[in-house]
Amino acid sequence: MRMSTSAKRNIYTCEACQLSFKNESNLKRHVRTHTGEKPFSCEICESAFSQSSSLKSHMLAHTGWKGFSCEECDASFSRKTSLKKHMQKHNGEKTYPCKICGSVFSQYSFFKDHKQMHSAEKNFSCSMCESAFSRNSFLKEHMRTHTGEKPYPCKICESRFSQDSSLKKHMRTHTGEKPYSCKICESRFSQDSSLKRHMRTHTREKPFSCEECGSAFSSRSDLKRHFRIHTGEKPYSCKTCDAAFSDNSSLTIHNRTHSGEKPYSCKICAAEFSHNSSLKIHVLTHSGKKPFSCKLCESSFYENSKLKKHMRTHTGEKPYSCNLCEAVFAENAYLKKHMRKHSRDETTNSV
């Protein structure tokens, strides 16, 4: 990596991205962001850094010292700069605007990486596909998509990740840290993407549409789950029985029918439930609130499903039909009871 200097202005310019510096030492440190050189190594673990200051900050992670605490949540940090970056997530502050395309960033490191997309040449090419990058470090991260390498292990569980940023996000599942807060309600989230999805519950935005039926969804993952209704795909199978499901969350809930696990408990009466939704409904019995009201009479219910069943007493709808005779029913429970009669009849006839 070559460096050029200007004697008149005493400015040191990087030939890779044209950024300028006031002294040669700063330029040398910067050039390492292009070459990927990391001459400062940690004696305790295998981590290496391009700057001496970064190594010093890293060493604090081994001591466990985190003297900079967030006043908004329970998060604490070993560096003041890390706390400042964290606080920007609470207040939504974005102080680094791109003059070329208008994008705005909350962290200088993100802004710097983005800026190189406009100015820097992409001299680091992938040998396995046509991708090219402005930094060698970006190329290294990209190569893991081909090799499957996951060099960042979680020290608490067995999970491994291809990027350090992914590991940091994962660690919040262990620490419980939720640095992203909703300004409309009190909900908090461990990831920025989760907050964005949550905000759509307030805005009612549904940007993901099904090409088959036109149904719209607030997240891409919800659309994927929905689309399995059309394909009939059920990729999540129970290891105990033959049940299969279109999404992993349904499998997790189903597995509790085998294990008897009830992870959701009521703080008022200690009642336990296998579903969080069941707990929420139960809590309403303590408050006496029945938020689902019938518009045709004075009945009200704890659950929306109970209201739907009730509405059939007004509409006369009977959506559950017997496949052995012409009987129809307003509730699935009545259909099941009816089917048992057919079973008894078959037993009697066989005798």
Side-chain angles (χ1 to χ4, degrees):
M1 182 65 62
R2 291 184 300 166
M3 298 172 284
S4 65
T5 59
S6 173
K8 294 181 179 180
R9 295 185 178 181
N10 197 28
I11 291 177
Y12 297 82
T13 304
C14 174
E15 292 190 351
C17 65
Q18 305 305 312
L19 287 176
S20 298
F21 301 87
K22 292 182 179 179
N23 55 63
E24 188 176 6
S25 60
N26 287 344
L27 174 60
K28 285 181 178 179
R29 282 197 293 270
H30 165 77
V31 166
R32 294 182 194 130
T33 64
H34 296 296
T35 63
E37 180 188 3
K38 295 181 178 181
F40 303 98
S41 301
C42 175
E43 296 179 357
I44 300 174
C45 67
E46 298 179 356
S47 300
F49 303 89
S50 60
Q51 297 185 32
S52 175
S53 58
S54 298
L55 173 60
K56 289 179 181 178
S57 298
H58 166 79
M59 293 305 296
L60 293 174
H62 290 298
T63 65
W65 181 84
K66 292 184 178 181
F68 301 98
S69 300
C70 175
E71 296 179 356
E72 297 287 333
C73 67
D74 295 331
S76 58
F77 304 89
S78 57
R79 299 169 63 185
K80 189 174 182 179
T81 54
S82 298
L83 174 60
K84 285 183 177 179
K85 289 179 182 178
H86 168 79
M87 290 305 298
Q88 289 170 351
K89 296 173 183 177
H90 285 301
N91 56 35
E93 180 183 356
K94 293 185 176 181
T95 56
Y96 302 99
C98 175
K99 295 180 180 179
I100 299 173
C101 68
S103 299
V104 186
F105 300 87
S106 59
Q107 297 184 31
Y108 179 71
S109 59
F110 297 159
F111 165 67
K112 187 167 66 173
D113 291 341
H114 169 81
K115 189 176 180 181
Q116 288 195 341
M117 291 171 56
H118 295 297
S119 60
E121 295 182 10
K122 295 183 178 181
N123 297 320
F124 301 93
S125 301
C126 176
S127 59
M128 302 183 75
C129 69
E130 297 179 356
S131 300
F133 303 88
S134 58
R135 290 189 185 183
N136 189 38
S137 58
F138 295 163
L139 173 60
K140 285 182 178 179
E141 285 189 2
H142 165 78
M143 289 304 297
R144 294 176 193 139
T145 63
H146 297 297
T147 64
E149 181 190 5
K150 295 182 178 181
Y152 300 98
C154 174
K155 295 180 180 179
I156 298 175
C157 68
E158 297 179 357
S159 300
R160 299 184 69 90
F161 302 89
S162 59
Q163 297 184 26
D164 183 43
S165 59
S166 298
L167 172 60
K168 287 178 180 177
K169 289 179 181 178
H170 165 78
M171 288 306 296
R172 294 178 190 141
T173 64
H174 296 298
T175 63
E177 181 191 2
K178 294 182 178 181
Y180 302 97
S181 58
C182 175
K183 293 182 178 180
I184 298 174
C185 66
E186 296 180 358
S187 299
R188 304 184 71 89
F189 302 89
S190 59
Q191 297 186 32
D192 183 37
S193 58
S194 299
L195 173 59
K196 287 179 180 178
R197 285 195 297 270
H198 165 78
M199 289 305 296
R200 294 180 189 136
T201 64
H202 296 298
T203 62
R204 305 298 181 189
E205 180 190 4
K206 293 183 178 181
F208 304 97
S209 300
C210 176
E211 294 180 356
E212 291 288 330
C213 65
S215 298
F217 301 88
S218 58
S219 69
R220 192 181 300 277
S221 59
D222 288 341
L223 173 59
K224 284 183 179 180
R225 282 195 293 270
H226 161 81
F227 201 73
R228 293 180 187 135
I229 295 173
H230 300 296
T231 63
E233 181 189 6
K234 293 183 178 181
Y236 302 95
S237 302
C238 177
K239 295 180 180 180
T240 307
C241 68
D242 295 331
F245 303 89
S246 59
D247 60 273
N248 191 39
S249 59
S250 297
L251 173 60
T252 301
I253 293 171
H254 165 79
N255 281 333
R256 293 175 190 146
T257 62
H258 297 298
S259 66
E261 181 190 6
K262 295 183 178 181
Y264 304 99
S265 58
C266 176
K267 295 180 180 180
I268 300 172
C269 68
E272 296 180 334
F273 303 89
S274 57
H275 301 183
N276 188 35
S277 57
S278 299
L279 172 60
K280 289 180 178 179
I281 293 167
H282 166 79
V283 169
L284 291 173
T285 64
H286 292 297
S287 66
K289 294 179 181 178
K290 293 183 178 181
F292 301 98
S293 302
C294 176
K295 295 180 179 180
L296 300 175
C297 68
E298 296 180 357
S299 300
S300 58
F301 304 88
Y302 296 118
E303 303 175 56
N304 189 35
S305 59
K306 295 284 176 63
L307 172 60
K308 287 181 179 179
K309 288 181 182 179
H310 166 79
M311 289 305 296
R312 294 176 193 141
T313 63
H314 295 297
T315 63
E317 180 189 6
K318 294 183 178 181
Y320 301 97
S321 58
C322 176
N323 58 3
L324 298 175
C325 67
E326 296 180 356
V328 290
F329 303 91
E331 296 186 26
N332 191 36
Y334 298 154
L335 172 60
K336 287 180 179 179
K337 186 177 179 180
H338 167 81
M339 293 304 293
R340 287 195 288 269
K341 291 181 180 179
H342 283 299
S343 298
R344 287 197 294 269
D345 291 343
E346 288 180 7
T347 303
T348 303
N349 292 335
S350 64
V351 174

PDB file of all heavy atoms in Angstrom, residues 258-284:
ATOM      1  N   HIS A 258     -45.027 -32.715  24.882  1.00  0.00           N
ATOM      2  CA  HIS A 258     -44.280 -33.922  25.240  1.00  0.00           C
ATOM      3  C   HIS A 258     -43.496 -33.724  26.543  1.00  0.00           C
ATOM      4  O   HIS A 258     -43.456 -34.606  27.396  1.00  0.00           O
ATOM      5  CB  HIS A 258     -43.307 -34.312  24.124  1.00  0.00           C
ATOM      6  CG  HIS A 258     -43.972 -34.664  22.833  1.00  0.00           C
ATOM      7  ND1 HIS A 258     -44.844 -35.732  22.691  1.00  0.00           N
ATOM      8  CD2 HIS A 258     -43.897 -34.085  21.603  1.00  0.00           C
ATOM      9  CE1 HIS A 258     -45.276 -35.801  21.450  1.00  0.00           C
ATOM     10  NE2 HIS A 258     -44.719 -34.805  20.758  1.00  0.00           N
ATOM     11  N   SER A 259     -42.856 -32.574  26.663  1.00  0.00           N
ATOM     12  CA  SER A 259     -42.000 -32.334  27.835  1.00  0.00           C
ATOM     13  C   SER A 259     -42.775 -31.877  29.064  1.00  0.00           C
ATOM     14  O   SER A 259     -42.296 -32.025  30.195  1.00  0.00           O
ATOM     15  CB  SER A 259     -40.948 -31.273  27.489  1.00  0.00           C
ATOM     16  OG  SER A 259     -41.573 -30.014  27.249  1.00  0.00           O
ATOM     17  N   GLY A 260     -43.998 -31.329  28.838  1.00  0.00           N
ATOM     18  CA  GLY A 260     -44.772 -30.799  29.956  1.00  0.00           C
ATOM     19  C   GLY A 260     -44.251 -29.460  30.446  1.00  0.00           C
ATOM     20  O   GLY A 260     -44.692 -28.945  31.473  1.00  0.00           O
ATOM     21  N   GLU A 261     -43.300 -28.878  29.709  1.00  0.00           N
ATOM     22  CA  GLU A 261     -42.704 -27.598  30.103  1.00  0.00           C
ATOM     23  C   GLU A 261     -43.744 -26.485  30.062  1.00  0.00           C
ATOM     24  O   GLU A 261     -44.524 -26.372  29.115  1.00  0.00           O
ATOM     25  CB  GLU A 261     -41.544 -27.258  29.173  1.00  0.00           C
ATOM     26  CG  GLU A 261     -40.837 -25.950  29.517  1.00  0.00           C
ATOM     27  CD  GLU A 261     -39.853 -25.509  28.453  1.00  0.00           C
ATOM     28  OE1 GLU A 261     -39.810 -26.163  27.379  1.00  0.00           O
ATOM     29  OE2 GLU A 261     -39.145 -24.529  28.678  1.00  0.00           O
ATOM     30  N   LYS A 262     -43.737 -25.660  31.101  1.00  0.00           N
ATOM     31  CA  LYS A 262     -44.624 -24.505  31.186  1.00  0.00           C
ATOM     32  C   LYS A 262     -43.798 -23.304  31.648  1.00  0.00           C
ATOM     33  O   LYS A 262     -43.760 -22.968  32.826  1.00  0.00           O
ATOM     34  CB  LYS A 262     -45.793 -24.773  32.139  1.00  0.00           C
ATOM     35  CG  LYS A 262     -46.738 -25.869  31.649  1.00  0.00           C
ATOM     36  CD  LYS A 262     -47.914 -26.059  32.585  1.00  0.00           C
ATOM     37  CE  LYS A 262     -48.876 -27.120  32.055  1.00  0.00           C
ATOM     38  NZ  LYS A 262     -50.043 -27.300  32.950  1.00  0.00           N
ATOM     39  N   PRO A 263     -43.121 -22.640  30.697  1.00  0.00           N
ATOM     40  CA  PRO A 263     -42.167 -21.586  31.067  1.00  0.00           C
ATOM     41  C   PRO A 263     -42.790 -20.242  31.441  1.00  0.00           C
ATOM     42  O   PRO A 263     -42.081 -19.341  31.879  1.00  0.00           O
ATOM     43  CB  PRO A 263     -41.317 -21.453  29.798  1.00  0.00           C
ATOM     44  CG  PRO A 263     -42.222 -21.870  28.693  1.00  0.00           C
ATOM     45  CD  PRO A 263     -43.124 -22.921  29.258  1.00  0.00           C
ATOM     46  N   TYR A 264     -44.095 -20.100  31.246  1.00  0.00           N
ATOM     47  CA  TYR A 264     -44.740 -18.806  31.521  1.00  0.00           C
ATOM     48  C   TYR A 264     -45.609 -18.920  32.775  1.00  0.00           C
ATOM     49  O   TYR A 264     -46.563 -19.704  32.811  1.00  0.00           O
ATOM     50  CB  TYR A 264     -45.586 -18.367  30.326  1.00  0.00           C
ATOM     51  CG  TYR A 264     -44.797 -18.290  29.044  1.00  0.00           C
ATOM     52  CD1 TYR A 264     -44.843 -19.333  28.107  1.00  0.00           C
ATOM     53  CD2 TYR A 264     -43.978 -17.207  28.768  1.00  0.00           C
ATOM     54  CE1 TYR A 264     -44.107 -19.279  26.939  1.00  0.00           C
ATOM     55  CE2 TYR A 264     -43.236 -17.147  27.605  1.00  0.00           C
ATOM     56  CZ  TYR A 264     -43.302 -18.189  26.691  1.00  0.00           C
ATOM     57  OH  TYR A 264     -42.559 -18.124  25.538  1.00  0.00           O
ATOM     58  N   SER A 265     -45.261 -18.158  33.804  1.00  0.00           N
ATOM     59  CA  SER A 265     -45.984 -18.241  35.078  1.00  0.00           C
ATOM     60  C   SER A 265     -46.614 -16.909  35.452  1.00  0.00           C
ATOM     61  O   SER A 265     -46.071 -15.837  35.167  1.00  0.00           O
ATOM     62  CB  SER A 265     -45.043 -18.694  36.200  1.00  0.00           C
ATOM     63  OG  SER A 265     -43.950 -17.814  36.322  1.00  0.00           O
ATOM     64  N   CYS A 266     -47.772 -16.998  36.092  1.00  0.00           N
ATOM     65  CA  CYS A 266     -48.503 -15.816  36.549  1.00  0.00           C
ATOM     66  C   CYS A 266     -47.889 -15.304  37.849  1.00  0.00           C
ATOM     67  O   CYS A 266     -47.681 -16.071  38.788  1.00  0.00           O
ATOM     68  CB  CYS A 266     -49.976 -16.175  36.755  1.00  0.00           C
ATOM     69  SG  CYS A 266     -50.968 -14.821  37.430  1.00  0.00           S
ATOM     70  N   LYS A 267     -47.602 -14.010  37.920  1.00  0.00           N
ATOM     71  CA  LYS A 267     -46.999 -13.422  39.112  1.00  0.00           C
ATOM     72  C   LYS A 267     -48.005 -13.220  40.237  1.00  0.00           C
ATOM     73  O   LYS A 267     -47.625 -12.969  41.379  1.00  0.00           O
ATOM     74  CB  LYS A 267     -46.347 -12.084  38.750  1.00  0.00           C
ATOM     75  CG  LYS A 267     -45.165 -12.213  37.793  1.00  0.00           C
ATOM     76  CD  LYS A 267     -44.564 -10.859  37.466  1.00  0.00           C
ATOM     77  CE  LYS A 267     -43.385 -11.007  36.517  1.00  0.00           C
ATOM     78  NZ  LYS A 267     -42.782  -9.688  36.173  1.00  0.00           N
ATOM     79  N   ILE A 268     -49.277 -13.348  39.904  1.00  0.00           N
ATOM     80  CA  ILE A 268     -50.319 -13.127  40.915  1.00  0.00           C
ATOM     81  C   ILE A 268     -50.687 -14.415  41.637  1.00  0.00           C
ATOM     82  O   ILE A 268     -50.784 -14.461  42.858  1.00  0.00           O
ATOM     83  CB  ILE A 268     -51.568 -12.493  40.261  1.00  0.00           C
ATOM     84  CG1 ILE A 268     -51.191 -11.140  39.622  1.00  0.00           C
ATOM     85  CG2 ILE A 268     -52.686 -12.303  41.292  1.00  0.00           C
ATOM     86  CD1 ILE A 268     -52.299 -10.533  38.791  1.00  0.00           C
ATOM     87  N   CYS A 269     -50.875 -15.510  40.859  1.00  0.00           N
ATOM     88  CA  CYS A 269     -51.323 -16.759  41.491  1.00  0.00           C
ATOM     89  C   CYS A 269     -50.395 -17.941  41.213  1.00  0.00           C
ATOM     90  O   CYS A 269     -50.680 -19.065  41.626  1.00  0.00           O
ATOM     91  CB  CYS A 269     -52.729 -17.101  41.029  1.00  0.00           C
ATOM     92  SG  CYS A 269     -52.816 -17.565  39.270  1.00  0.00           S
ATOM     93  N   ALA A 270     -49.283 -17.721  40.524  1.00  0.00           N
ATOM     94  CA  ALA A 270     -48.278 -18.750  40.226  1.00  0.00           C
ATOM     95  C   ALA A 270     -48.757 -19.806  39.231  1.00  0.00           C
ATOM     96  O   ALA A 270     -48.101 -20.824  39.039  1.00  0.00           O
ATOM     97  CB  ALA A 270     -47.794 -19.431  41.502  1.00  0.00           C
ATOM     98  N   ALA A 271     -49.898 -19.615  38.592  1.00  0.00           N
ATOM     99  CA  ALA A 271     -50.343 -20.549  37.549  1.00  0.00           C
ATOM    100  C   ALA A 271     -49.330 -20.558  36.407  1.00  0.00           C
ATOM    101  O   ALA A 271     -48.753 -19.517  36.067  1.00  0.00           O
ATOM    102  CB  ALA A 271     -51.723 -20.142  37.038  1.00  0.00           C
ATOM    103  N   GLU A 272     -49.096 -21.736  35.819  1.00  0.00           N
ATOM    104  CA  GLU A 272     -48.094 -21.879  34.768  1.00  0.00           C
ATOM    105  C   GLU A 272     -48.726 -22.259  33.436  1.00  0.00           C
ATOM    106  O   GLU A 272     -49.742 -22.971  33.409  1.00  0.00           O
ATOM    107  CB  GLU A 272     -47.065 -22.938  35.171  1.00  0.00           C
ATOM    108  CG  GLU A 272     -46.256 -22.546  36.409  1.00  0.00           C
ATOM    109  CD  GLU A 272     -45.248 -23.605  36.783  1.00  0.00           C
ATOM    110  OE1 GLU A 272     -45.487 -24.790  36.431  1.00  0.00           O
ATOM    111  OE2 GLU A 272     -44.226 -23.274  37.392  1.00  0.00           O
ATOM    112  N   PHE A 273     -48.083 -21.788  32.343  1.00  0.00           N
ATOM    113  CA  PHE A 273     -48.636 -21.998  31.014  1.00  0.00           C
ATOM    114  C   PHE A 273     -47.527 -22.335  30.027  1.00  0.00           C
ATOM    115  O   PHE A 273     -46.386 -21.892  30.186  1.00  0.00           O
ATOM    116  CB  PHE A 273     -49.395 -20.745  30.553  1.00  0.00           C
ATOM    117  CG  PHE A 273     -50.496 -20.339  31.488  1.00  0.00           C
ATOM    118  CD1 PHE A 273     -50.240 -19.478  32.554  1.00  0.00           C
ATOM    119  CD2 PHE A 273     -51.782 -20.832  31.328  1.00  0.00           C
ATOM    120  CE1 PHE A 273     -51.243 -19.113  33.427  1.00  0.00           C
ATOM    121  CE2 PHE A 273     -52.794 -20.480  32.200  1.00  0.00           C
ATOM    122  CZ  PHE A 273     -52.530 -19.621  33.256  1.00  0.00           C
ATOM    123  N   SER A 274     -47.883 -23.088  29.011  1.00  0.00           N
ATOM    124  CA  SER A 274     -46.919 -23.452  27.975  1.00  0.00           C
ATOM    125  C   SER A 274     -46.817 -22.385  26.889  1.00  0.00           C
ATOM    126  O   SER A 274     -45.833 -22.345  26.159  1.00  0.00           O
ATOM    127  CB  SER A 274     -47.304 -24.797  27.341  1.00  0.00           C
ATOM    128  OG  SER A 274     -48.622 -24.734  26.805  1.00  0.00           O
ATOM    129  N   HIS A 275     -47.835 -21.516  26.781  1.00  0.00           N
ATOM    130  CA  HIS A 275     -47.841 -20.447  25.781  1.00  0.00           C
ATOM    131  C   HIS A 275     -47.869 -19.086  26.487  1.00  0.00           C
ATOM    132  O   HIS A 275     -48.585 -18.910  27.479  1.00  0.00           O
ATOM    133  CB  HIS A 275     -49.074 -20.514  24.871  1.00  0.00           C
ATOM    134  CG  HIS A 275     -49.190 -21.806  24.130  1.00  0.00           C
ATOM    135  ND1 HIS A 275     -50.189 -22.044  23.219  1.00  0.00           N
ATOM    136  CD2 HIS A 275     -48.445 -22.928  24.162  1.00  0.00           C
ATOM    137  CE1 HIS A 275     -50.058 -23.253  22.725  1.00  0.00           C
ATOM    138  NE2 HIS A 275     -49.015 -23.806  23.282  1.00  0.00           N
ATOM    139  N   ASN A 276     -47.126 -18.133  25.954  1.00  0.00           N
ATOM    140  CA  ASN A 276     -47.173 -16.776  26.488  1.00  0.00           C
ATOM    141  C   ASN A 276     -48.549 -16.157  26.269  1.00  0.00           C
ATOM    142  O   ASN A 276     -49.047 -15.396  27.105  1.00  0.00           O
ATOM    143  CB  ASN A 276     -46.096 -15.919  25.824  1.00  0.00           C
ATOM    144  CG  ASN A 276     -45.965 -14.555  26.465  1.00  0.00           C
ATOM    145  OD1 ASN A 276     -46.128 -14.407  27.667  1.00  0.00           O
ATOM    146  ND2 ASN A 276     -45.667 -13.557  25.657  1.00  0.00           N
ATOM    147  N   SER A 277     -49.177 -16.480  25.123  1.00  0.00           N
ATOM    148  CA  SER A 277     -50.509 -15.956  24.835  1.00  0.00           C
ATOM    149  C   SER A 277     -51.532 -16.441  25.872  1.00  0.00           C
ATOM    150  O   SER A 277     -52.438 -15.696  26.263  1.00  0.00           O
ATOM    151  CB  SER A 277     -50.955 -16.374  23.436  1.00  0.00           C
ATOM    152  OG  SER A 277     -50.943 -17.783  23.301  1.00  0.00           O
ATOM    153  N   SER A 278     -51.363 -17.685  26.344  1.00  0.00           N
ATOM    154  CA  SER A 278     -52.273 -18.224  27.365  1.00  0.00           C
ATOM    155  C   SER A 278     -52.094 -17.480  28.675  1.00  0.00           C
ATOM    156  O   SER A 278     -53.068 -17.222  29.389  1.00  0.00           O
ATOM    157  CB  SER A 278     -52.003 -19.718  27.564  1.00  0.00           C
ATOM    158  OG  SER A 278     -52.217 -20.440  26.372  1.00  0.00           O
ATOM    159  N   LEU A 279     -50.854 -17.128  28.992  1.00  0.00           N
ATOM    160  CA  LEU A 279     -50.589 -16.354  30.210  1.00  0.00           C
ATOM    161  C   LEU A 279     -51.250 -14.984  30.141  1.00  0.00           C
ATOM    162  O   LEU A 279     -51.872 -14.523  31.107  1.00  0.00           O
ATOM    163  CB  LEU A 279     -49.084 -16.200  30.419  1.00  0.00           C
ATOM    164  CG  LEU A 279     -48.649 -15.247  31.540  1.00  0.00           C
ATOM    165  CD1 LEU A 279     -49.190 -15.711  32.897  1.00  0.00           C
ATOM    166  CD2 LEU A 279     -47.135 -15.109  31.581  1.00  0.00           C
ATOM    167  N   LYS A 280     -51.123 -14.314  28.987  1.00  0.00           N
ATOM    168  CA  LYS A 280     -51.718 -12.988  28.826  1.00  0.00           C
ATOM    169  C   LYS A 280     -53.234 -13.033  29.021  1.00  0.00           C
ATOM    170  O   LYS A 280     -53.817 -12.151  29.656  1.00  0.00           O
ATOM    171  CB  LYS A 280     -51.380 -12.428  27.444  1.00  0.00           C
ATOM    172  CG  LYS A 280     -49.920 -12.030  27.282  1.00  0.00           C
ATOM    173  CD  LYS A 280     -49.657 -11.486  25.895  1.00  0.00           C
ATOM    174  CE  LYS A 280     -48.211 -11.042  25.747  1.00  0.00           C
ATOM    175  NZ  LYS A 280     -47.912 -10.527  24.383  1.00  0.00           N
ATOM    176  N   ILE A 281     -53.861 -14.069  28.487  1.00  0.00           N
ATOM    177  CA  ILE A 281     -55.309 -14.222  28.643  1.00  0.00           C
ATOM    178  C   ILE A 281     -55.655 -14.479  30.099  1.00  0.00           C
ATOM    179  O   ILE A 281     -56.616 -13.920  30.639  1.00  0.00           O
ATOM    180  CB  ILE A 281     -55.821 -15.370  27.747  1.00  0.00           C
ATOM    181  CG1 ILE A 281     -55.672 -14.987  26.274  1.00  0.00           C
ATOM    182  CG2 ILE A 281     -57.272 -15.700  28.060  1.00  0.00           C
ATOM    183  CD1 ILE A 281     -55.862 -16.148  25.322  1.00  0.00           C
ATOM    184  N   HIS A 282     -54.844 -15.305  30.757  1.00  0.00           N
ATOM    185  CA  HIS A 282     -55.081 -15.626  32.165  1.00  0.00           C
ATOM    186  C   HIS A 282     -54.994 -14.386  33.048  1.00  0.00           C
ATOM    187  O   HIS A 282     -55.803 -14.211  33.973  1.00  0.00           O
ATOM    188  CB  HIS A 282     -54.062 -16.672  32.634  1.00  0.00           C
ATOM    189  CG  HIS A 282     -54.006 -16.834  34.122  1.00  0.00           C
ATOM    190  ND1 HIS A 282     -54.945 -17.568  34.829  1.00  0.00           N
ATOM    191  CD2 HIS A 282     -53.147 -16.329  35.051  1.00  0.00           C
ATOM    192  CE1 HIS A 282     -54.657 -17.522  36.121  1.00  0.00           C
ATOM    193  NE2 HIS A 282     -53.567 -16.771  36.271  1.00  0.00           N
ATOM    194  N   VAL A 283     -54.004 -13.533  32.779  1.00  0.00           N
ATOM    195  CA  VAL A 283     -53.814 -12.315  33.585  1.00  0.00           C
ATOM    196  C   VAL A 283     -55.069 -11.439  33.532  1.00  0.00           C
ATOM    197  O   VAL A 283     -55.416 -10.758  34.508  1.00  0.00           O
ATOM    198  CB  VAL A 283     -52.578 -11.534  33.095  1.00  0.00           C
ATOM    199  CG1 VAL A 283     -52.515 -10.151  33.734  1.00  0.00           C
ATOM    200  CG2 VAL A 283     -51.304 -12.312  33.419  1.00  0.00           C
ATOM    201  N   LEU A 284     -55.775 -11.467  32.412  1.00  0.00           N
ATOM    202  CA  LEU A 284     -57.007 -10.684  32.283  1.00  0.00           C
ATOM    203  C   LEU A 284     -58.082 -11.144  33.273  1.00  0.00           C
ATOM    204  O   LEU A 284     -58.930 -10.358  33.692  1.00  0.00           O
ATOM    205  CB  LEU A 284     -57.547 -10.770  30.855  1.00  0.00           C
ATOM    206  CG  LEU A 284     -56.723 -10.074  29.768  1.00  0.00           C
ATOM    207  CD1 LEU A 284     -57.285 -10.395  28.390  1.00  0.00           C
ATOM    208  CD2 LEU A 284     -56.697  -8.562  29.987  1.00  0.00           C
TER     209      LEU A 284
END
